[in-house]
Structures are given as structure tokens and as C-alpha cells.
């Protein structure tokens, strides 16, 4: 029944095959594992390793992969990928909404120099976040295509060459996406710090709240800050689901605190 069966004809081959299968069982994720989409690349690597090992031991043919385990793992990862695309879609929606809100009072904001400078920084931050969202969505969609090939391989409707090609593309996509993620994290943290400096130095909230504690422009500005910090939280989430761990977000916390302090000081007389 496949290479594993042929490999069991001799004791050394049987031992080697059992060892390869045991390593595969340990390495391949099951439905109870963490929802880390990037684990797909490692799973494909394990399939390739098992295929190669049994190929050396036995004769050409499709490897006798523990199909139930593999099916569970693929099904779990497909669901994880769907959830990640849904999350990215929500961030995309919030990004679109935030940009529409920012445009709604652009003419009024243009009359205040501090707000013009703040908007310049905010739009740079949004463009960086949106650019990364494009990369992240491409990454997850590439993973989904690879899941399809892996599922087809288990069902004998796809050859191993297709799985291997999917593995190569998923590996490249993950590497490129992780590089872009780290770059976007650094840029967005720096831009949030610049945003905090503009708000602080220009006394943005003080100017907006001086004569009107219910200033619509002040509320819009708070909304822009929330949208910016929400985008940075998205980048943090992508680090975690990508298996990169939690990034150093001290600069983010410092910037948010400076903005919060500036608002508290400016709105003190409104209480």
C-alpha cells in the first residue's frame, strides 16, 4: 500500500519508515493546535520530507501518509486561513471608513496649520498600513491555494509536484510578507511617534477645545488617533499569527500616552 508498505519488506527499511512516520506524526499540526497560519509552510515541508524519506526506502509511488491526521490538519488550517482573511477584511473595512471620515472635514481642517501637518503624517501611516494589508491578504490567499493542493494530494487528485510547487511559493510568500511586516511595524511606530509630536507641539487639542468642548474636529481627531493605533494593533496581531512573537511596542505605548496626556490637559476645563 504505497512506499511505506514496500519499505516494510526489510527490517532496516521498516525501522526507517516507522521513524519517518513517527516524526511526521509529531510535526504535523492537528485541529487542536494553535491558529498560526504560517504553520502551513512547516506542514508542507514535513510532507516533502516524508515523501523523500519513503521514496529512498521504497519504490516510486505515492507515500502512505497518515491520511486521517493530515486531513484534520488541513481542515483546521483552512478554517484558520478563512478566519485570518475575515480579520484582514475587517481591518480593510475600518481603514476605508477611517479614510472616508478624514476626508469628510478636509476643507475645514485645511484652515488650521497644525491639523494640516497632523493629517499629512496620518495619511502616511494609513498608506503604510494599507500597503501591508495588500501583502497580508496575498499571503493568506497563497496559503489557501496551497491547502487546496495539499488536500488534493491526500485525496490522490494532485501529484506531489503540485504540492512541492505550492510549498515553494508559500515559503517565498511567507518570507516576503514577514520582511514587509517588520518594515511596516518600524515605519508605523515612527509615524505614530511623529503624530504624537505634532499633536503635542501644535497643541492641537488645546486649539480645538478652547472655545468648544464638543468640537466635532476634536472628536474626528480622536477618531483618527484610534484608527492609527488600531492599525498598529493589526500589525502586532500579524506578528503573533505569523509565529514571530510579540514585537517591541514600547514606542507605541509612549506615543499613545503622550496623545492621551495632551487631550487630558486640553479638556481639563471641560469637566
Amino acid at each position: 500500500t504505497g512506499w511505506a508498505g514496500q519499505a516494510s519488506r526489510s527490517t532496516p527499511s521498516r525501522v526507517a519508515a516507522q521513524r519517518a512516520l513517527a516524526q511526521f506524526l509529531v510535526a504535523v499540526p492537528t485541529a487542536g493546535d494553535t491558529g498560526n497560519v504560517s504553520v502551513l509552510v512547516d506542514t508542507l515541508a514535513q510532507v516533502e520530507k516524508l515523501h523523500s524519506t519513503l521514496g529512498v526506502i521504497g519504490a516510486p509511488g505515492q507515500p502512505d501518509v497518515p491520511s486521517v491526521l493530515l486531513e484534520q490538519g488541513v481542515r483546521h488550517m483552512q478554517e484558520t486561513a478563512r478566519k485570518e482573511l475575515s480579520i484582514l477584511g475587517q481591518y480593510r473595512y475600518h481603514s476605508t471608513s477611517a479614510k472616508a471620515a478624514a476626508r469628510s472635514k478636509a476643507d475645514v481642517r485645511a484652515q488650521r496649520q497644525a491639523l494640516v501637518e497632523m493629517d499629512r503624517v496620518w495619511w502616511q501611516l494609513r498608506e503604510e498600513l494599507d500597503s501591508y494589508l495588500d501583502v497580508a491578504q496575498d499571503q493568506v490567499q497563497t496559503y489557501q491555494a496551497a491547502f487546496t493542493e495539499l488536500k488534493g494530494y491526500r485525496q490522490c487528485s494532485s501529484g506531489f509536484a503540485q504540492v512541492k510547487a505550492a510549498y515553494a511559493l508559500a515559503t517565498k510568500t511567507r518570507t516576503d510578507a514577514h520582511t514587509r511586516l517588520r518594515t511596516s511595524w518600524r515605519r508605523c511606530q515612527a509615524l505614530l511617534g511623529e503624530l504624537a509630536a505634532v499633536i503635542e507641539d501644535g497643541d492641537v487639542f488645546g486649539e480645538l477645545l478652547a472655545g468648544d468642548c464638543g468640537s466635532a474636529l476634536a472628536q474626528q481627531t480622536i477618531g483618527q488617533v484610534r484608527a492609527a493605533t488600531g492599525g498598529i494593533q493589526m500589525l502586532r496581531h500579524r506578528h503573533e499569527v505569523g509565529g514571530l512573537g510579540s514585537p517591541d511596542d514600547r514606542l507605541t505605548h509612549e506615543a499613545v500616552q503622550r496623545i492621551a496626556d495632551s487631550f487630558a490637559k486640553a479638556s481639563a476645563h471641560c469637566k
Side-chain angles (χ1 to χ4, degrees):
T1 59
W3 289 359
Q6 296 183 46
S8 66
R9 292 175 182 172
S10 67
T11 299
S13 294
R14 183 170 62 251
V15 171
Q18 289 173 343
R19 183 182 300 115
L21 289 171
Q23 291 173 344
F24 180 82
L25 289 170
V26 171
V28 172
T30 62
D33 286 342
T34 180
N36 182 346
V37 181
S38 284
V39 79
L40 163 68
V41 178
D42 300 321
T43 300
L44 292 173
Q46 291 301 323
V47 172
E48 181 179 25
K49 182 178 179 181
L50 179 65
H51 186 283
S52 300
T53 301
L54 296 181
V56 171
I57 296 170
Q62 184 166 342
D64 185 14
V65 178
S67 60
V68 174
L69 175 70
L70 187 57
E71 181 179 13
Q72 290 177 345
V74 170
R75 190 163 56 242
H76 169 58
M77 288 186 290
Q78 285 177 319
E79 179 60 27
T80 301
R82 280 193 291 270
K83 289 179 180 177
E84 278 304 305
L85 275 180
S86 176
I87 291 172
L88 291 173
Q90 291 172 30
Y91 278 119
R92 177 76 72 185
Y93 171 79
H94 288 305
S95 171
T96 301
S97 299
K99 288 187 290 186
R103 292 190 185 99
S104 66
K105 295 183 182 298
D107 292 342
V108 179
R109 296 177 69 87
Q111 298 172 18
R112 299 171 183 262
Q113 184 57 40
L115 289 181
V116 170
E117 183 63 16
M118 179 193 154
D119 286 351
R120 179 190 65 79
V121 177
W122 187 85
W123 279 103
Q124 284 184 326
L125 194 152
R126 283 260 48 106
E127 288 171 5
E128 183 63 37
L129 289 170
D130 287 347
S131 180
Y132 172 72
L133 273 176
D134 290 338
V135 173
Q137 287 182 319
D138 287 345
Q139 179 190 12
V140 178
Q141 287 167 353
T142 300
Y143 283 3
Q144 285 187 314
F147 289 138
T148 300
E149 293 297 343
L150 190 55
K151 183 177 180 180
Y153 175 70
R154 192 202 69 78
Q155 297 173 344
C156 302
S157 61
S158 295
F160 185 71
Q162 292 166 286
V163 176
K164 191 171 183 178
Y167 164 53
L169 181 58
T171 299
K172 182 181 185 305
T173 300
R174 180 175 69 169
T175 299
D176 293 346
H178 284 180
T179 298
R180 183 53 190 268
L181 175 58
R182 293 186 181 98
T183 299
S184 292
W185 176 260
R186 291 192 299 270
R187 288 176 179 172
C188 287
Q189 279 212 118
L191 286 167
L192 187 63
E194 187 177 351
L195 191 69
V198 170
I199 290 174
E200 220 174 22
D201 297 343
D203 192 22
V204 169
F205 291 122
E207 181 180 341
L208 295 177
L209 297 174
D212 181 10
C213 288
S215 168
L217 283 179
Q219 292 305 312
Q220 184 190 46
T221 301
I222 287 292
Q224 287 179 270
V225 171
R226 287 175 178 163
T229 55
I232 290 180
Q233 285 303 309
M234 178 271 292
L235 296 180
R236 179 186 176 87
H237 169 76
R238 293 300 300 169
H239 273 82
E240 293 171 352
V241 300
L244 301 176
S246 298
D248 184 351
D249 57 2
R250 285 175 294 181
L251 292 178
T252 297
H253 287 300
E254 290 173 5
V256 171
Q257 189 60 57
R258 289 167 62 191
I259 294 171
D261 290 345
S262 179
F263 179 79
K265 179 181 178 181
S267 61
H269 71 282
C270 295
K271 297 178 181 178

